Structure formats: C-alpha cells, structure tokens
C-alpha cells in the first residue's frame, strides 16, 4: 500500500473497518434466517438467490474456498432445509444446489430488511454516489477474484 501514499493507508483502514462490520452483520442476518445458520453460509444463500441453481464446485470457485469447506457449509444448509440438491440435467453424475421454498422465503425476508437498512443509511447520498460505490466495489471484487 505504500506505493499509494497516505491514501493507501486510509483505504486499508476503511476496508478493515468495513469488513469487520460486514462480518458482524452477516452473523446477525444468518441468525435471522435461521438460528443455527453459520455466518459464512449466508453468502451462499445470496449467491443462490442471485445466480440460481449452481454446482457445489461453481460455488466453491466463486467464493474461493475448497471443496471440503463448501461441502460442509452446503451440508449444514441442507440439514436446515434451506437448500435442495437436484440432478444436473447437463451431467447426471453431478447435482445442482438451489434454495428450497422455505430457504427462499426466509432469505427474502432478511434481504428485504437489510435493503431497508441500507436505504436508511444511504438516504443522504445521491443516486450517482451509490452507483459509483457499487461500481467501484464490483471492480475491487473482480480484481480480487482474478488474484485467487
């Protein structure tokens, strides 16, 4: 970060605070979906809602985690009745993971409440600032994914 000067230190500090708060918020949202849901598994629900049915290997690659970690997290979601596995029509040996109707309902309720909180927090921002933040975070996520 030194090559960015003091701005790099500011960025590092602000990202550290943001990530710490995001982890805490993910834990709260996970518990709102189901009291036994691990915070890390909440992101899986987000991805499944956004992208639709996925293979476990696709999810592991998307999140940059190993197959064993993904298998453990999916197993927990399955036991809670939040996801289901169906045969992959493109390859009968593989399965697709998708939200169950209960998983979709629980996730949607929590996501909508989260979006309302964001709307309140960002009420003083103009739409262009919000769009810029989303664009820059997307760019950072793309660069981060390319490094893995």
């Amino acid at each position: 970060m030194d090559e960015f000067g003091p701005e790099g230190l500011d960025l590092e500090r602000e990202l550290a605070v943001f990530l710490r708060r995001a982890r805490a918020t993910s834990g709260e949202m996970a518990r709102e979906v189901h009291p036994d849901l691990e915070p890390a598994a909440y992101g899986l629900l987000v991805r499944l809602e956004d992208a639709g049915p996925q293979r476990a290997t696709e999810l592991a690659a998307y999140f940059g985690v190993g197959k064993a970690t993904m298998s453990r997290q999916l197993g927990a979601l399955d036991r809670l009745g939040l996801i289901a596995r169906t045969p992959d029509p493109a390859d009968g040996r593989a399965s697709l993971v998708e939200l169950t109707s209960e998983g979709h309902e629980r996730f949607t309720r929590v996501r909508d409440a989260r979006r309302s909180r964001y709307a309140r927090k960002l009420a003083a921002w103009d739409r262009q600032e919000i769009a810029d933040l989303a664009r820059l975070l997307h760019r950072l996520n793309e660069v981060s994914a390319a490094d893995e």
Side-chain angles (χ1 to χ4, degrees), residues 62-83:
Y62 179 81
F63 287 105
V65 299
K67 291 177 187 176
T69 298
M70 184 55 56
S71 178
R72 183 182 56 76
Q73 290 178 348
L74 290 174
L77 288 171
D78 194 15
R79 285 187 296 282
L80 295 174
L82 302 175
I83 63 162

Side-chain angles (χ1 to χ4, degrees), residues 19-110:
L19 292 171
R20 188 170 42 247
R21 288 183 177 151
R23 276 192 288 279
T25 300
S26 286
E28 292 167 12
M29 290 186 298
R31 285 186 298 279
E32 288 176 30
V33 170
H34 192 285
D36 297 329
L37 185 64
E38 294 180 25
Y42 181 82
L44 288 170
L45 300 178
V46 173
R47 179 65 180 168
L48 290 170
E49 176 68 18
D50 287 348
Q54 305 267 295
R55 288 183 179 186
T57 53
E58 293 171 319
L59 290 166
Y62 179 81
F63 287 105
V65 299
K67 291 177 187 176
T69 298
M70 184 55 56
S71 178
R72 183 182 56 76
Q73 290 178 348
L74 290 174
L77 288 171
D78 194 15
R79 285 187 296 282
L80 295 174
L82 302 175
I83 63 162
R85 298 171 198 255
T86 57
D88 184 345
D91 180 355
R93 299 169 297 172
S95 63
L96 296 175
V97 178
E98 61 187 320
L99 292 176
T100 61
S101 57
E102 180 180 353
H104 175 74
E105 183 276 322
R106 286 174 175 253
F107 170 76
T108 301
R109 180 178 37 81
V110 172

Side-chain angles (χ1 to χ4, degrees), residues 61-64 138-148:
Y62 179 81
F63 287 105
H138 178 75
R139 187 172 167 192
L140 179 61
N141 284 329
E142 282 184 328
V143 171
S144 297
D147 288 344
E148 294 174 358

